[in-house]
Amino acid sequence: MKNIVRYLVMTVLALCLSVPCCGTAAEAASVALLPLINNVEGDQLANQVYYKEAIKALNAKQGFVLVENDALTAVIDSVGAKTAVPTKEELVKIAKEGKVDIVISMELDRLTSKALLRSRERELKLDMRGKAVAYNALTGAYYEHNIYGDKIIDEALTSRFDWTHEEFGRAVVKEINRALAAK
């Protein structure tokens, strides 16, 4: 009799512990990542860095899924969001007609580094300018921020990697995280 009661209690306990696992999960917010508006002449690597870092930032966050489909591409083309940063009204239209929850767009105007000759070692100064905009249809929040970079680093430290594009990648991740957190 003791064993039957013990097995019955263990069965009820196992069921009680597994009930929260069977609950319905919240649906992920859909994100539309518009193409980079690259105004830097001859710099195609910035486009690759933009997509790589933006997708990596979106995948690192839970509850967001990147959406890309023909209807969304048609809306983006009709708005003309590939040549200039979209306005709030255009972002709202993209979100509504593209059936997405969050729309993110970035523009890159300048991305260069210049050598500074000082009395010490040679240094490089970054010159990065751009703009990021986003619209969250779930909260109605509009996000707009100017991207600015003027970091100075010892030139010897940049000999083995593309420092300017790496800094741009960091800026992309920062802006994606800010856009997703905008309230």
Side-chain angles (χ1 to χ4, degrees):
M1 186 68 177
K2 227 180 196 183
N3 287 340
I4 294 174
V5 172
R6 185 179 301 159
Y7 286 127
L8 185 61
V9 169
M10 287 184 356
T11 305
V12 170
L13 183 63
L15 287 173
C16 289
L17 292 175
S18 65
V19 168
C21 298
C22 298
T24 59
E27 191 173 320
S30 57
V31 178
L33 184 65
L34 275 57
L36 176 68
I37 301 159
N38 190 353
N39 296 327
V40 179
E41 193 67 36
D43 188 358
Q44 295 305 315
L45 184 58
N47 294 331
Q48 295 172 11
V49 170
Y50 168 71
Y51 281 114
K52 177 185 158 218
E53 295 298 329
I55 291 170
K56 186 169 73 172
L58 284 169
N59 288 338
K61 296 256 187 194
Q62 289 185 355
F64 299 100
V65 62
L66 186 63
V67 175
E68 184 179 359
N69 56 39
D70 294 335
L72 184 62
T73 305
V75 173
I76 293 169
D77 289 340
S78 72
V79 169
K82 292 185 178 182
T83 57
V85 175
T87 63
K88 181 180 179 181
E89 292 77 25
E90 291 171 338
L91 290 174
V92 170
K93 181 179 178 182
I94 292 170
K96 189 174 185 180
E97 292 180 18
K99 295 181 177 80
V100 292
D101 300 323
I102 301 170
V103 182
I104 301 172
S105 178
M106 289 182 78
E107 176 182 41
L108 181 64
D109 295 322
R110 269 190 275 170
L111 184 63
T112 60
S113 60
K114 182 173 94 172
L116 301 176
L117 302 173
R118 296 185 177 170
S119 61
R120 303 178 306 195
E121 300 274 333
R122 286 177 52 114
E123 295 177 325
L124 287 179
K125 182 176 182 178
L126 178 69
D127 184 17
M128 179 171 49
R129 304 282 184 277
K131 189 175 188 178
V133 294
Y135 174 72
N136 188 334
L138 299 173
T139 62
Y142 174 70
Y143 171 80
E144 181 176 357
H145 189 257
N146 289 326
I147 302 168
Y148 175 77
D150 64 347
K151 206 181 245 187
I152 296 175
I153 191 170
D154 188 4
E155 188 176 35
L157 298 174
T158 65
S159 63
R160 293 204 173 179
F161 64 96
D162 188 0
W163 177 63
T164 55
H165 286 99
E166 194 147 318
E167 288 299 317
F168 174 62
R170 285 188 187 107
V172 169
V173 170
K174 187 185 297 183
E175 294 302 325
I176 294 290
N177 290 335
R178 285 179 178 172
L180 295 177
K183 303 233 186 267

